[in-house]
Amino acid sequence: MHKPFIAAPLLATLLLSACATNDLGEPRDLNKTQTGAIIGTVSGAALGAIINHRNRGKGALIGAVGGGLTGTGVGYYMDQQAKDLQKQLQPEIQRGDISVEKRPGDNALLVSMTSNTGFDTNSTVLKPGYLPTLNKIAHVLNQYGKTTVTVVGHTDSVGTHAYNQALSERRAQSVLDYFASQNVNPLRLESYGKGETEPRADNATETGRQLNRRVELWILPVVAN
């Protein structure tokens, strides 16, 4: 379940910094009219639309990222983003801490991060060893702004279902908040928790439980048509 993650004044600041780059992450200046328009979007009912993609029309999202992708450009754009993620994250991939997968057919990218460096047991505080990896991912996300990013938290089966569900939500939110702090456009972000409901390994072993304690990033193209 997605939760509001940031107060309006800070959100306005993040929007200004996020929108002050082009799609390759290069800085550009905002004139006063553009600045006023961005600040205006964080007031009143618009705030709810910004923090919840499901309550915002596709047209608004396309406008927020400067236009959607079209035709064969969608696949090329996502292929290049996958290659850049794999290049930046090569040490983590070699250690088995992270995987990057481009799904055939839907152009979705799945970045799966294990619990090796993410969180201490029962904690939602990002460990310092996790931050360099998140910084690399945020850098690539800022270069490829025509995508949405859904952070999904997962747990093993130790503990109650209700506890694990809440823990997975809070961990996903922690990752989302960190990306926002690294100038990833907040309009592109949302988070969910799946608790223990989608294991990818056997919870009967510690090795399996460690694989199940993970955070996944689903990166999807914003398509114009």
Side-chain angles (χ1 to χ4, degrees):
M1 179 176 63
H2 177 79
K3 299 179 181 178
F5 63 95
I6 199 159
L10 180 55
L11 179 57
T13 301
L14 290 171
L15 282 170
L16 285 171
S17 58
C19 294
T21 60
N22 64 18
D23 194 45
L24 296 177
E26 298 166 342
R28 64 178 175 84
D29 293 328
L30 294 174
N31 60 39
K32 292 181 180 179
T33 301
Q34 290 171 314
T35 301
I38 293 170
I39 293 174
T41 65
V42 302
S43 61
L47 181 60
I50 288 172
I51 62 178
N52 193 331
H53 294 166
R54 291 168 296 174
N55 291 338
R56 185 176 69 245
K58 183 177 179 180
L61 180 58
I62 290 174
V65 301
L69 300 166
T70 60
T72 58
V74 178
Y76 177 80
Y77 190 88
M78 299 305 288
D79 283 340
Q80 292 302 114
Q81 186 171 192
K83 290 178 182 178
D84 281 351
L85 282 167
Q86 289 165 347
K87 180 179 179 180
Q88 292 290 330
L89 298 169
Q90 192 59 35
E92 290 88 343
I93 292 172
Q94 290 180 339
R95 291 196 304 267
D97 292 344
I98 197 166
S99 63
V100 179
E101 172 191 357
K102 184 175 184 293
R103 291 164 53 90
D106 56 12
N107 287 310
L109 302 183
L110 172 59
V111 180
S112 185
M113 297 174 281
T114 70
S115 63
N116 288 350
T117 57
F119 301 92
D120 288 323
T121 302
N122 296 326
S123 173
T124 62
V125 177
L126 291 165
K127 294 170 66 174
Y130 206 32
L131 301 186
T133 297
L134 293 181
N135 289 340
K136 293 178 184 180
I137 296 172
H139 174 73
V140 176
L141 293 178
N142 282 329
Q143 288 183 304
Y144 293 87
K146 296 183 186 297
T147 56
T148 60
V149 185
T150 301
V151 186
V152 184
H154 299 268
T155 70
D156 59 31
S157 61
V158 177
T160 67
H161 174 80
Y163 178 84
N164 286 332
Q165 177 61 35
L167 179 63
S168 68
E169 291 174 8
R170 294 197 302 272
R171 284 180 169 175
Q173 188 71 42
S174 293
V175 173
L176 183 154
D177 289 346
Y178 189 79
F179 283 149
S181 76
Q182 297 302 301
N183 294 330
V184 179
N185 190 331
L187 286 89
R188 300 169 57 200
L189 299 171
E190 64 181 341
S191 67
Y192 294 94
K194 293 293 187 70
E196 61 193 59
T197 62
E198 293 186 3
R200 68 177 188 181
D202 188 353
N203 273 306
T205 68
E206 175 52 35
T207 299
R209 290 191 294 272
Q210 186 177 47
L211 290 173
N212 292 334
R213 298 192 296 266
R214 67 196 190 277
V215 173
E216 295 176 341
L217 307 179
W218 287 92
I219 304 171
L220 298 172
V222 178
V223 180
N225 51 12

